Amino acid sequence: MDSDNLLGQFLRARRGLVQPEEQGVPVIGRRRVAGLRREEVAMLSGLSTDYYVRLEQGRERNPSVQVLDALARALLLDDDAIAHLHRLARPVPGRSRKNARRQRVSPALRQMMNGWAGTPAVILGRCMEVLAHNPLGGALFAGHTYSGDLMRLVFLDPDARDFYPDWDRVAANTVGGLREAAGTDYDDPRLIELVGELSLKSEAFRTLWSRHDIRQKRHETKRFRHPVVGELTLDYESLTINSAPGQQLVVYRAEPGSPSAHALSLLGSLAATETARASDSVQQDLATGD
């Protein structure tokens, strides 16, 4: 990832996704580029072609708010992508990496989550790694090679397409969510490692990452095919944690009285039984001195 010209990368990627007819641009003859040409974006934005080229090449780094809004209209950006465009043009300096600490989850938040016996909950880090979960949240994602890392679960786990019946949508949203979480901080070593690994091992990830889609994780309905309790359709809400920037609390729920609610209840009972067995085993080991 080249973090020196993030704005230019974003503009190039997004103009490649807009078809000329979507913006009423006449198509004459054979086109050599996917999407819009540079001069077409400039025309639609009311800019000179030379100025737009300088933006893409990183030679112009101070576009006005009016210019950014005009580009957003030309590129048909949604609200999340517009906000991202403005962040790229005016990035906030990140903290020094040498002072960056390992992400930790507060004990109070862990205790609160553990009190939600019938509600799966997980806390995700900036790279979609699972930093913490309550028993039911752990049970929801248990049984996979990458249960503790949702990015690698989606793109590298052999069970991913079975676990997520709507895998294409989940994959696109997950990559868009990673872009949103990263913001302008593309120098994060964990992000560099993750994107490098997934780019090498997953063609689907490479394709989606190159689109520069932005998807802020808020709320959605998601289907799971759980290896123990079968089909689950769950709504989730994603909440930012103000005391720990970059962390997200994701809470899942099933429609009351639905088959998914019954399956979730069964999963909770099984998880509680497994937790009790593990606790008994620890107590026995302590008693025997093992």
Side-chain angles (χ1 to χ4, degrees):
M1 297 183 299
D2 179 11
S3 60
D4 186 54
N5 184 22
L6 295 175
L7 176 61
Q9 293 175 43
F10 181 75
L11 293 173
R12 282 195 298 274
R14 299 310 301 180
R15 72 176 169 87
L17 299 176
V18 181
Q19 298 307 307
E21 53 269 24
E22 293 181 272
Q23 284 287 32
V25 175
V27 178
I28 302 174
R30 184 177 180 182
R31 298 176 65 89
R32 297 181 180 179
V33 298
L36 295 173
R37 299 186 178 106
R38 287 172 171 172
E39 58 268 25
E40 291 167 344
V41 176
M43 177 194 67
L44 291 167
S45 305
L47 308 174
S48 71
T49 299
D50 178 67
Y51 180 81
Y52 178 75
V53 170
R54 294 204 308 272
L55 279 175
E56 274 204 5
Q57 293 178 346
R59 293 186 289 121
E60 172 56 59
R61 295 180 179 268
N62 295 291
S64 67
V65 171
Q66 292 78 9
V67 165
L68 295 174
D69 288 341
L71 289 170
R73 290 190 294 271
L75 298 174
L76 302 177
L77 302 183
D78 61 18
D79 290 344
D80 288 341
I82 292 171
H84 185 67
L85 173 65
H86 282 265
R87 281 200 304 271
L88 294 178
R90 287 164 178 73
V92 177
R95 64 181 177 179
S96 172
R97 284 290 155 214
K98 66 181 180 181
N99 295 324
R101 297 178 179 178
R102 187 170 65 89
Q103 297 183 90
R104 299 181 183 275
V105 177
S106 75
L109 186 52
R110 289 178 183 270
Q111 185 177 12
M112 181 177 70
M113 290 170 54
N114 288 336
W116 302 337
T119 303
V122 299
I123 296 178
L124 302 180
R126 292 179 66 251
C127 293
M128 304 294 177
E129 68 274 38
V130 178
L131 301 177
H133 57 75
N134 65 4
L136 191 50
L140 178 61
F141 291 98
H144 306 285
T145 304
Y146 297 101
S147 293
D149 187 321
L150 297 193
M151 287 299 304
R152 290 180 172 89
L153 171 58
V154 171
F155 289 100
L156 300 183
D157 203 291
D159 301 326
R161 291 177 184 266
D162 186 55
F163 182 57
Y164 295 111
D166 305 310
W167 185 87
D168 289 338
R169 180 167 61 88
V170 170
N173 288 345
T174 302
V175 173
L178 180 64
R179 284 257 184 213
E180 166 66 25
T184 60
D185 191 9
Y186 282 68
D187 293 327
D188 186 335
R190 290 167 298 187
L191 179 67
I192 293 172
E193 178 186 2
L194 175 65
V195 172
E197 179 184 356
L198 295 181
S199 295
L200 286 172
K201 296 180 179 179
S202 171
E203 181 179 356
F205 176 84
R206 288 197 303 274
T207 299
L208 290 169
W209 185 253
S210 70
R211 290 173 55 90
H212 285 248
D213 287 331
I214 303 296
R215 296 283 186 274
Q216 187 168 349
K217 198 175 182 68
R218 295 189 183 97
H219 55 82
E220 191 182 13
T221 298
K222 184 175 288 187
R223 292 198 301 148
F224 301 88
R225 187 176 293 116
H226 196 275
V228 176
V229 298
E231 294 276 354
L232 290 164
T233 299
L234 304 178
D235 297 325
Y236 76 76
E237 292 283 343
S238 180
L239 311 170
T240 58
I241 301 173
N242 292 337
S243 60
Q247 293 184 15
Q248 301 175 76
L249 170 62
V250 185
V251 183
Y252 298 85
R253 64 175 292 276
E255 186 68 26
S258 67
S260 292
H262 293 302
L264 198 58
S265 178
L266 174 59
L267 183 61
S269 297
L270 295 173
T273 300
E274 187 64 28
T275 300
R277 287 176 178 171
S279 178
D280 289 343
S281 177
V282 170
Q283 294 298 325
Q284 290 175 4
D285 290 342
L286 291 173
T288 58
D290 292 341

